[in-house]
Amino acid sequence: MTDLKVIDTDVLIIGGGTAGCYAARELSKSGKFRILIAEKAGIKRSGCLAAGVNALNAYITSGHTPEDYVRYAQNDAAGIARGDLLLSMSCRLNEVTAELEKMGLVILKDEQGQYVSRGWRNIKINGENIKPLLASAAIRAPGVTVLEHTNLTDLVTVKHDGRTRVAGAVGFSVEENIFYQIRAKAVLIATGGAAGLYRPNNPGFSRHKMWYSPFNTGAGYAMGLRAGAELTTLEMRFIALRCKDTIAPTGTIAQGVGASQINSAGEVYEKRYGLTTSQRLYGTVAENEQGRGPCYLKTSGISEQQEQELYRAYLNMAPGQTLKWIEQNRGPAQSDVEIEGTEPYIVGGHTASGFWIDDRRRTTVAGLYAAGDVAGGCPQKYVTGCLAEAAIAAEAIAEDFGNNQTVLPPSDDEAQALIEQYRRYLNNQESVYTVEDLEDAMQKIMDQYAGGISTGYRYNAAGLLEAQKRIDALGSLVETLRADCMLELLHIAELKERLTVCRALLAHLKFRHETRWHCFAENTDHPHQETKWELYVNSRLGADGSIEMITRPLVAMGEHYEHQN
C-alpha cells in the first residue's frame, strides 16, 4: 500500500544541485518563506558537482569586465546567446565566488594573496568538497527543509486571469512507498540538463562513465514542456572534448600547461579549424576522419612539477584520469593525452539550451522560475554562473511574492490524475521489455539518426524524421512497463523524461536550416551558416501533444526583455 502525503510550502525548489542549494540559501535571508528543496538523491553528493571541480571557469579577473565575458560567450555561441542574461549573470560572478570562499571553499592564491588564474576567465580551486559545502549552507539556512530521495515528475497548474500558473508538483519517494503532492506559491526548476539521450563513448558496464552527470535526465525540461513552458535553442547541443576512455575534462591540461591539440604526425591542428568550443571538437573529428588521428593534447616534455599539478588537479574532480596515468606508469610528461568527443548532451550551463526566461529568470509560465543548467539563453555560465542565476531567481521570487500576488490553490484532481499514472506502472502486468531495453533502443536511434558519435555528429532531415517515428514508438512501449518497487518507478520516470527531451530536440534540429555550430549541430542538408537564422529557435507543447516551433529575435547586451506572450 502506498501512502499519499500532501505538503504545503511557499517556495518549492526542484533539484538540490548547484543552483538549487544556492537559491534556497539566498531566499532564506529574508526570513519570510517556507522553502522546500526536493532532491531525488542525497543532497550532499548530488548533481554535477558531486565529484568536485578544480577550477571556477567563470570569473572576471583583474583588467577585465563583465562586458568582456558577455562578448566571449556570445562569440563562442556564434551570436545565439541572450546578451541581457549574460550581462546580469556576469556582473555577479565575483560576488558569488566570494560567497563560496566564505563557505569554506579553498581558492588558490599567489604570494600577493591574489587568486591564481588559469587564463583570463578562470581561477584555480581545491574543489573536491564544493558540493558538500553548498549543501550544508542550504541545510543550515533558516526556513529551508530538504526532502531527499524524492523524485518529482510533473508540475501542477491552475488557471488564473486567463493564464496558466504553477501551483506545485507531484512525485514519489525513491526509498519508501510514499506519493507526494506538494502545494507551493512559486516553483524554481533547478534540475540540471540532460544526459543519456545518445549512445555514450563507453559500452556496457562502463556506459555511465561519461562527462555529464548520468542522473541528469532532462526532468526539468520535460515537466516544463508538459506544463506549457517555452524552451529555447535545444539544437545547440553540447559535445565535450575529453580525455579518451576516462572522459575527464581537457581544459585542465590545455589551460593548465598550455597544451596544444596535435594529430598523429605531431602537427598542431587547432588553429586550422578555429578556437571556439565547438571548433576545437570539430577539428579533432575532422583530423580523425581524414586519417590523421589519433589526436592528442601535447603534454610530453612538461616539467615534473607540472605533471604533479595535473595529478592533483584531476584527483579533485576526475580521479580516473590520475589513476590511469599511475596504472600505466606513464604520466603526461612521458606521453601525450589522447582526446575524443563525447556523445551530445543538452546543457544550458555550456550552451544556450533550456527554458526561455526573462532577465529575472522567470519562465513563460506564471510562478515558474529556472536557474542553472536547465535555464537557456546564457551559455558558458559554469558553476559560478549557475550560482549567479540562482541568486537572481531568488530575488525575483521574493519580489514577486512581496507584491501580494493572489495565488489560487492547485487542483487536487490534476494531482490525483498524475499520481494515478504511478499506480498504473506499479500495477501493470509483467512487460516484455525492461527500462534498460528501451533506453538502449533510444540511444541507438539518436546515435544513428540524430547526429551521434557513430555519424561524426552529422544528421539530415530524412534521418531526423526516422528518429521521430522510432522515438514516438518507444513512447508507446513505455506505457507497458511494470515497476516492482519505487526505484524501478524512478527508472521509468527517467526514461519518459529522456524520451520527451528527445522529441523536443529532434524538432529543434529539424527546424534550424543551417550549420551554425560544427558538430554541435552539423546539418548536412544545410552545411553553412545563414544570416537569416540569427534568431532563437524555441518550442512548446501544442494542444494535440505535438512540438510547436517558434522563433524569437535576438536580445542584445544592454536591452531589457520581458515575456509578452
Side-chain angles (χ1 to χ4, degrees):
M1 183 66 180
T2 306
D3 296 327
L4 172 63
K5 287 190 177 181
V6 179
I7 299 175
D8 287 295
T9 190
D10 294 319
V11 181
L12 169 61
I13 298 175
I14 305 178
T18 310
C21 285
Y22 201 78
R25 175 182 177 270
E26 292 300 293
L27 266 169
S28 75
K29 292 178 178 178
S30 70
K32 298 178 181 178
F33 301 104
R34 295 169 299 164
I35 304 157
L36 178 65
I37 300 175
E39 166 58 52
K40 73 177 178 181
I43 195 169
K44 288 193 174 180
R45 285 292 183 184
S46 65
C48 298
L49 295 185
V53 288
N54 64 17
L56 297 178
N57 290 330
Y59 184 83
I60 310 301
T61 57
S62 178
H64 294 90
T65 67
E67 288 79 7
D68 292 334
Y69 198 91
V70 173
R71 285 186 282 270
Y72 148 70
Q74 287 181 319
N75 177 67
D76 203 75
I80 310 302
R82 288 272 298 277
D84 58 334
L85 301 181
L86 282 167
L87 184 60
S88 62
M89 178 270 288
S90 300
C91 286
R92 294 180 182 239
L93 293 176
N94 292 18
E95 174 188 323
V96 298
T97 300
E99 289 298 308
L100 282 174
E101 189 170 28
K102 290 177 185 176
M103 292 180 199
L105 181 69
V106 176
I107 303 179
L108 303 189
K109 296 181 180 178
D110 59 21
E111 295 81 2
Q112 289 75 43
Q114 301 299 310
Y115 293 155
V116 177
S117 63
R118 194 184 74 176
W120 74 265
R121 304 180 301 272
N122 308 354
I123 57 175
K124 296 181 179 181
I125 65 173
N126 288 339
E128 185 278 336
N129 66 339
I130 188 170
K131 184 61 204 298
L133 289 172
L134 280 166
S136 296
I139 292 168
R140 292 195 306 264
V144 174
T145 302
V146 179
L147 190 61
E148 293 185 299
H149 307 292
T150 300
N151 185 57
L152 302 187
T153 65
D154 289 273
L155 299 168
V156 178
T157 60
V158 293
K159 289 292 185 182
H160 180 57
D161 289 340
R163 287 193 68 187
T164 298
R165 180 174 195 86
V166 166
V170 296
F172 52 88
S173 169
V174 178
E175 297 184 329
E176 301 177 271
N177 292 328
I178 299 173
F179 298 141
Y180 285 100
Q181 177 186 350
I182 302 173
R183 299 187 293 213
K185 299 174 183 176
V187 176
L188 172 63
I189 296 277
T191 51
L197 308 179
Y198 286 78
R199 180 178 284 173
N201 295 83
N202 298 307
F205 180 79
S206 297
R207 67 187 183 278
H208 284 155
K209 187 184 289 184
M210 55 177 59
W211 166 72
Y212 197 55
S213 169
F215 309 105
N216 283 11
T217 60
Y221 304 140
M223 67 178 76
L225 264 177
R226 289 193 289 265
E230 196 170 315
L231 302 182
T232 188
T233 324
L234 299 190
E235 74 278 10
M236 193 196 296
R237 307 176 299 175
F238 184 68
I239 303 162
L241 186 64
R242 290 297 179 257
C243 302
K244 192 173 188 304
D245 299 327
T246 64
I247 316 300
T250 54
T252 299
I253 299 173
Q255 296 182 37
V257 300
S260 298
Q261 293 173 221
I262 60 172
N263 59 26
S264 59
E267 301 167 330
V268 177
Y269 63 83
E270 55 191 17
K271 292 184 180 179
R272 289 208 296 266
Y273 299 92
L275 298 176
T276 66
T277 306
S278 62
Q279 288 167 344
R280 286 180 180 277
L281 169 69
Y282 177 61
T284 304
V285 173
E287 289 294 300
N288 277 299
E289 289 181 341
Q290 293 166 26
R292 292 190 290 272
C295 295
Y296 305 87
L297 285 174
K298 182 170 177 51
T299 57
S300 54
I302 63 175
S303 69
E304 182 179 349
Q305 179 183 348
Q306 288 176 310
E307 184 175 61
Q308 290 299 317
E309 288 177 354
L310 288 180
Y311 285 150
R312 288 193 295 270
Y314 279 101
L315 285 174
N316 262 326
M317 61 168 181
Q321 184 61 38
T322 299
L323 293 174
K324 179 181 179 181
W325 282 324
I326 293 171
E327 287 169 357
Q328 294 179 343
N329 199 28
R330 286 185 63 81
Q334 289 76 47
S335 59
D336 299 323
V337 178
E338 189 175 352
I339 54 179
E340 65 180 343
T342 65
E343 77 276 20
Y345 307 101
I346 308 300
V347 186
H350 286 69
T351 62
S353 54
F355 278 92
W356 182 248
I357 51 178
D358 68 12
D359 56 11
R360 301 292 287 160
R361 275 56 185 182
R362 303 178 185 97
T363 75
T364 52
V365 176
L368 183 65
Y369 305 76
D373 278 354
V374 76
C378 186
Q380 312 295 350
K381 68 183 78 153
Y382 306 115
V383 174
T384 44
C386 290
L387 301 181
E389 284 200 326
I392 294 169
E395 291 170 4
I397 292 169
E399 175 186 319
D400 291 346
F401 289 93
N403 292 334
N404 297 317
Q405 290 195 11
T406 301
V407 181
L408 300 178
S411 166
D412 287 340
D413 291 343
E414 181 182 357
Q416 287 298 324
L418 291 167
I419 288 170
E420 280 304 312
Q421 294 179 10
Y422 307 151
R423 298 187 195 279
R424 184 166 51 77
Y425 289 117
L426 292 166
N427 294 327
N428 269 352
Q429 298 297 312
E430 200 65 38
S431 176
V432 174
Y433 303 100
T434 66
V435 169
E436 190 166 332
D437 292 336
L438 299 188
E439 183 179 277
D440 285 346
M442 172 192 69
Q443 291 179 347
K444 180 180 180 181
I445 292 164
M446 295 298 289
D447 178 70
Q448 294 183 345
Y449 297 109
I453 294 172
S454 68
T455 64
Y457 307 115
R458 300 181 186 87
Y459 57 85
N460 59 25
L464 294 174
L465 181 60
E466 186 65 30
Q468 285 178 320
K469 293 176 183 176
R470 296 184 181 221
I471 291 296
D472 287 344
L474 287 183
S476 299
L477 292 177
V478 169
E479 299 309 310
T480 70
L481 294 175
R482 172 183 168 83
D484 288 322
C485 64
M486 303 305 273
L487 182 60
E488 291 184 4
L489 184 60
L490 168 69
H491 294 158
I492 292 174
E494 290 179 329
L495 175 60
K496 289 180 68 175
E497 289 155 3
R498 286 186 166 114
L499 287 169
T500 298
V501 177
C502 284
R503 289 186 62 224
L505 171 59
L506 291 169
H508 275 256
L509 293 173
K510 187 177 178 182
F511 191 83
R512 183 177 282 275
H513 289 178
E514 65 165 352
T515 294
R516 181 161 293 268
W517 315 278
H518 282 301
C519 290
F520 287 11
E522 193 79 37
N523 189 332
T524 58
D525 291 335
H526 306 279
H528 306 292
Q529 277 192 26
E530 301 287 348
T531 302
K532 65 182 179 181
W533 285 99
E534 291 178 356
L535 44 76
Y536 307 113
V537 171
N538 291 8
S539 61
R540 62 190 174 204
L541 200 64
D544 61 353
S546 64
I547 305 293
E548 295 180 351
M549 304 308 297
I550 312 153
T551 59
R552 303 285 188 200
L554 298 180
V555 181
M557 180 167 54
E559 293 182 353
H560 175 71
Y561 169 83
E562 290 184 1
H563 298 308
Q564 300 297 318
N565 50 22

